[in-house]
Amino acid sequence: GCGTGRLTIPLARAGHEVWAVDVSAAMLDQLRAKLAREAPEVQARVHPVRQDATALDLPVRDFRLAAIPFNVLMLIPDLAAERRALAAAAAHLAPGGTLALDVMNPLTLPMDAETKPSPSEPRRSPHNGNSYIRNTMASRLDEGQCQRIHGWYDELLPDGKIAVTEYGFTWRMIFRYELELMLESAGFAIERLAGDFEDAAWTVDSRRMVVTARRAS
């Protein structure tokens, strides 16, 4: 889930070689466009690859770190497929290699259908500088712990008009002990489960579950 390079480019700038994997060709196109503005040595450290994480097959199998960031595991909305993605990550790590991932804490999320949209704070588009608001609604959690997130963007155009763009995706909520079991069954030993990116202790009120784990063997 490398996307447009939010983590990939800083890692490459720091001197790390990165295999940047995403299932979306459009995301990888944006990554390549960003890389084109980087120094040649940074570009040389990044290997963009279009593959499905659940069937990952790279020519390198001794990575020190695998990262599944920003809810990517949740965006594989099927338990069996999530387990395949974790197993594939383990298969590509050297013994003792690290897995880092984060997902939302379901205990802080709405599980019933929302009847009114939740607007975001006004933000500015990194693409064109226009101000926008994102309006979000959620469906009821189904028997597979899946939920449809949908809504629209209201973008303020330079001429004062509002452009409306709809969006939607499905994610699967993963509860703490379910996540721990999934990781252990994939061959990982959990080192830390934190409640945020600043390494705060996890509680039922934490918005996230931020995990680091080691490939056990």
Side-chain angles (χ1 to χ4, degrees):
C2 68
T4 66
R6 182 174 175 181
L7 290 182
T8 298
I9 291 175
L11 286 169
R13 287 173 179 166
H16 301 287
E17 186 173 5
V18 183
W19 289 72
V21 179
D22 205 289
V23 74
S24 168
M27 288 287 194
L28 291 172
D29 285 344
Q30 291 189 54
L31 169 61
R32 292 186 182 96
K34 289 182 178 180
L35 281 173
R37 300 191 291 270
E38 296 291 323
E41 61 271 21
V42 174
Q43 296 180 38
R45 295 186 190 114
V46 178
H47 309 276
V49 178
R50 186 184 182 192
Q51 283 194 23
D52 185 332
T54 66
L56 190 65
D57 185 14
L58 301 178
V60 181
R61 294 293 177 119
D62 60 350
F63 290 99
R64 292 177 296 149
L65 170 69
I68 308 178
F70 308 125
N71 303 322
V72 166
L73 191 64
M74 293 179 70
L75 294 171
I76 305 172
D78 175 81
L79 174 59
E82 289 168 346
R83 295 183 65 183
R84 289 197 301 272
L86 292 174
H92 284 77
L93 284 170
T98 300
L99 172 71
L101 67 83
D102 67 278
V103 294
M104 299 299 293
N105 175 14
L107 300 177
T108 66
L109 296 174
M111 298 185 191
D112 290 326
E114 296 177 314
T115 57
K116 295 182 179 179
S118 300
S120 70
E121 294 293 326
R123 301 173 182 174
R124 195 164 296 280
S125 169
H127 300 290
N128 56 25
N130 293 341
S131 179
Y132 71 89
I133 291 174
R134 183 180 65 192
N135 300 279
T136 304
M137 299 179 69
S139 70
R140 182 181 179 183
L141 202 67
D142 70 15
E143 68 278 5
Q145 297 172 202
C146 293
Q147 185 180 54
R148 183 70 178 167
I149 307 297
H150 59 98
W152 67 94
Y153 292 90
D154 288 328
E155 179 184 358
L156 179 62
L157 302 179
D159 62 4
K161 295 180 180 179
I162 300 294
V164 178
T165 304
E166 296 183 349
Y167 75 93
F169 60 87
T170 299
W171 67 10
R172 181 179 175 276
M173 292 192 188
I174 306 172
F175 291 86
R176 174 182 175 170
Y177 293 109
E178 177 186 19
L179 178 61
E180 292 182 351
L181 286 170
M182 288 166 61
L183 287 165
E184 290 170 6
S185 67
F188 289 104
I190 297 170
E191 291 195 329
R192 176 69 172 160
L193 190 150
D196 60 25
F197 295 118
E198 283 70 48
D199 202 34
W202 188 87
T203 73
V204 294
D205 297 316
S206 299
R207 287 287 290 166
R208 291 190 171 274
M209 295 184 285
V210 182
V211 176
T212 52
R214 296 277 181 185
R215 178 182 161 183
S217 60

